[in-house]
Amino acid sequence: MESKTSDTDSHYAPAGMYLWDPWFMAIEERVHAFYLQAARDGNHDLRHHNAVSIGHAVSDDLYQWEQQGTILSPGKPGTWDSMALWTGFTLHYGGQYYLFYTGRHTGEFWKQNIGLAISTDLMNFERVSEQPILPHDPELYDTTGEEQNEVGNPPTWRDPYIFKDPQSEDWIMIFSARSNPPGLYNGCIGLARSQNLIDWEIQPPLFAPGHYDELETPQILHYKGLYYLFFSTWDRCYHPDFAKIRTPTSGLHCYVSEDLYGSYRPANQTGIVLGNGENLYSVRMATFLRDRYMAIGWLNFDEKSDFIARLSHPIPMNLDSDRVIADFAP
């Protein structure tokens, strides 16, 4: 079942599959990568709707990855996650592995909800419910729309990231969402709280700057007394007024605060950490190594502009107060 990266391409992808939107979990000396995957055939722009499943690989050095197979596939016909699975997050707690994930179904093509599956061996995952654990909430968030908007983005209720708040000891979930009132450039970071990882109470948005139409694959790090809020977005998602004062940039962004629920200011004065055109996207921290975080994203294109959909090499990330410096070499 295991296969290693080929000699002809040093960037990992599961055999015969596209890979995108990875997330990571470090256990002892190994790092586990989880990612979206779909068959490497047909039009790659349509991969999001083509029976997307979640794959798993492990590594000792963040360069060579051992493929572990598929850990979760779309649900049975008629269920809320029957069409495709989208980005999620995995954590180890109390002897179990919790896989939070986004699901879509054919009845409401663009609607997204967040579900949970649990495993004791990281191989066999069972859904905890036939329903999502965090269905989209129309009271606190904008969940309108069945089509892509004028910016080219669909409704947003996806990409969960979970951590334990060091101040309250509550479990916190952040996710990509849209704030009320409905409209353009209302991308936000949604928020929910839990005591047991199963039952979640939806809260008002954690971060709703009004500057971006979409904030994807968010992540929070609490490091040396500061909260670092990371997300990815595209240059086309900048509000036109914001684009007049900040050069629209696709890639990894970061805002910083002393308090989880406080006011967030842009890291590096611009909020931009990694701008790499359309080549590198959805960068997530993978592990803490040699006094710095190591991050990994996925590569869209190779040097010939061919779509490749593979993991990037690890990117050293230095966090220093309001500065986040990335040393990226594809």
Side-chain angles (χ1 to χ4, degrees):
M1 184 172 86
E2 297 182 356
S3 63
K4 292 202 173 186
T5 306
S6 69
D7 294 333
T8 59
D9 195 326
S10 63
H11 295 287
Y12 169 79
M17 308 285 275
Y18 290 125
L19 173 158
W20 69 100
D21 281 12
W23 62 94
F24 304 92
M25 179 179 65
I27 300 179
E28 296 177 348
E29 299 299 318
R30 310 200 85 187
V31 173
H32 297 254
F34 307 90
Y35 43 81
L36 304 185
Q37 59 182 17
R40 191 175 285 272
D41 56 19
N43 183 350
H44 63 77
D45 287 333
L46 301 179
R47 71 188 185 280
H48 297 285
H49 321 306
N50 185 24
V52 181
S53 58
I54 296 174
H56 175 207
V58 296
S59 177
D60 297 318
D61 62 3
L62 305 181
Y63 285 92
Q64 297 291 321
W65 293 90
E66 299 174 0
Q67 185 175 332
Q68 302 296 299
T70 299
I71 59 172
L72 197 68
S73 297
K76 297 178 293 185
T79 57
W80 69 274
D81 59 354
S82 59
M83 179 169 59
L85 307 183
W86 276 5
T87 311
F89 185 72
T90 310
L91 63 84
H92 184 217
Y93 179 73
Q96 298 187 106
Y97 299 96
Y98 292 75
L99 173 61
F100 297 85
Y101 66 96
T102 308
R104 297 168 56 220
H105 69 100
T106 54
E108 295 177 291
F109 188 81
W110 282 115
K111 286 291 185 181
Q112 305 139 41
N113 290 288
I114 295 172
L116 172 63
I118 293 179
S119 171
T120 58
D121 60 8
L122 263 183
M123 299 295 293
N124 301 289
F125 281 85
E126 296 290 335
R127 290 166 169 83
V128 300
S129 171
E130 295 181 357
Q131 302 297 324
I133 63 163
L134 198 75
H136 55 269
D137 182 285
E139 294 186 11
L140 293 175
Y141 293 87
D142 173 15
T143 61
T144 60
E146 288 296 332
E147 305 290 340
Q148 292 175 307
N149 65 18
E150 296 171 25
V151 185
N153 296 320
T156 306
W157 190 268
R158 61 178 183 268
D159 304 352
Y161 175 83
I162 293 86
F163 68 101
K164 181 167 279 192
D165 181 12
Q167 295 181 352
S168 68
E169 292 297 309
D170 288 340
W171 290 104
I172 302 295
M173 180 193 297
I174 61 172
F175 51 96
S176 177
R178 293 185 177 280
S179 61
N180 277 323
L184 298 178
Y185 307 105
N186 63 344
C188 73
I189 302 298
L191 177 69
R193 301 166 66 94
S194 176
Q195 298 293 319
N196 59 10
L197 292 171
I198 305 294
D199 303 300
W200 292 88
E201 181 182 355
I202 297 174
Q203 305 288 310
L206 176 70
F207 180 67
H211 298 327
Y212 313 96
D213 189 69
E214 191 172 62
L215 291 75
E216 299 191 279
T217 58
Q219 183 177 26
I220 281 187
L221 297 180
H222 186 250
Y223 181 69
K224 293 186 177 180
L226 293 176
Y227 290 89
Y228 292 82
L229 173 60
F230 293 91
F231 61 89
S232 292
T233 194
W234 300 102
D235 54 7
R236 61 179 171 81
C237 293
Y238 276 52
H239 190 290
D241 292 340
F242 190 56
K244 294 176 182 177
I245 59 175
R246 298 275 173 80
T247 302
T249 303
S250 298
L252 182 66
H253 294 59
C254 180
Y255 283 68
V256 182
S257 176
E258 283 80 12
D259 189 286
L260 175 62
Y261 305 103
S263 177
Y264 283 82
R265 57 189 178 272
N268 303 335
Q269 298 185 325
T270 64
I272 300 165
V273 175
L274 268 172
N276 197 54
E278 294 187 351
N279 188 39
L280 176 72
Y281 199 67
S282 191
V283 174
R284 289 272 186 94
M285 304 302 164
T287 189
F288 190 77
L289 184 66
R290 292 188 294 274
D291 297 323
R292 67 180 67 182
Y293 282 95
M294 305 298 288
I296 300 175
W298 68 280
L299 300 172
N300 282 257
F301 305 102
D302 62 13
E303 64 277 1
K304 300 178 182 178
S305 297
D306 292 329
F307 187 75
I308 57 173
R310 295 175 177 273
L311 282 185
S312 75
H313 288 160
I315 306 163
M317 305 285 286
N318 293 298
L319 281 60
D320 180 14
S321 187
D322 286 13
R323 298 174 69 245
V324 181
I325 306 301
D327 183 12
F328 173 62

